[in-house]
Amino acid sequence: AQRVTQPEKLLSVFKGAPVELKCNYSYSGSPELFWYVQYSRQRLQLLLRHISRESIKGFTADLNKGETSFHLKKPFAQEEDSAMYYCASGDMGRRALTFGSGTRLQVQP
Amino acid sequence: EADIYQTPRYLVIGTGKKITLECSQTMGHDKMYWYQQDPGMELHLIHYSYGVNSTEKGDLSSESTVSRIRTEHFPLTLESARPSHTSQYLCASSRTSGSYNEQFFGPGTRLTVL
């Protein structure tokens, strides 16, 4: 079974500091990796997917198959980035995504 | 507007009651899902459906049941609610196309069973 690990429950940084939210997955095939975000009082929404190789709200994530990681990074954190972040993995044809336990990012002024 | 709707948003109910959590989507998606999420924990898949009259159990064992009579509607039912069912329930949907498995989520139903 697929497994997604987010080792940090809480990550607290100051505004302007770099951010890295860690995510490791266990899947030997070609996974689809996603980062979802949930802002306060809002629903869970997609932040970015590895296949797009895009930057959303200044966040990027690189798939490292050797380390089976998909860490989320942003060079300069903003207060509005404070939220819960979930890493998820899937594969073509699988019924649903496997989610990690989430990391709460707190960006202090 | 294309969206996923869940009702009720909050429900407090006594033990033994039968409840149905509603989920509807106007996204035109064929796949739908139910996840259970305890505070600060990961989402666990409890049910999914590939289309009308297709339902399967997810990774987490659940005493709930689901039905998919219409493409846009995927209700979840608990015949006899218990305190152990207290949790947040998230409904999601996705389209079967290409290699993407992007799921769109509803706002969730927070259930408390006393």
Side-chain angles (χ1 to χ4, degrees), chain B residues 4 6 23 32-35 74 89-93 104-106:
Chain B
I4 301 177
Q6 287 188 247
C23 176
M32 295 189 74
Y33 315 85
W34 276 104
Y35 290 88
F74 192 40
Y89 293 83
L90 297 176
C91 181
S93 69
F104 295 84
F105 284 83

Side-chain angles (χ1 to χ4, degrees), chain A residues 30-63:
Chain A
S30 297
E32 298 174 82
L33 276 300
F34 304 85
W35 276 99
Y36 279 80
V37 61
Q38 188 169 29
Y39 301 102
S40 179
R41 295 189 177 86
Q42 295 187 29
R43 65 179 71 182
L44 200 60
Q45 58 187 287
L46 180 70
L47 179 61
L48 55 80
R49 57 178 81 93
H50 90 273
I51 200 167
S52 302
R53 303 181 69 83
E54 57 197 345
S55 173
I56 302 293
K57 299 184 179 183
F59 284 98
T60 59
D62 291 321
L63 178 60

Side-chain angles (χ1 to χ4, degrees), chain A residues 32 36 43 49 51 86 95, chain B residues 3 33 37 59 99 102:
Chain A
E32 298 174 82
Y36 279 80
R43 65 179 71 182
R49 57 178 81 93
I51 200 167
Y86 294 90
R95 55 198 178 175
Chain B
D3 205 350
Y33 315 85
Q37 182 186 28
D59 300 317
S99 63
E102 177 181 351

Side-chain angles (χ1 to χ4, degrees), chain B residues 26-62:
Chain B
T26 55
M27 311 283 285
H29 290 164
D30 46 0
K31 292 182 181 177
M32 295 189 74
Y33 315 85
W34 276 104
Y35 290 88
Q36 186 173 338
Q37 182 186 28
D38 293 325
M41 304 296 286
E42 59 262 57
L43 284 71
H44 291 288
L45 179 71
I46 52 175
H47 298 284
Y48 64 101
S49 168
Y50 280 154
V52 172
N53 294 326
S54 155
T55 61
E56 298 287 344
K57 287 191 177 295
D59 300 317
L60 183 68
S61 175
S62 174

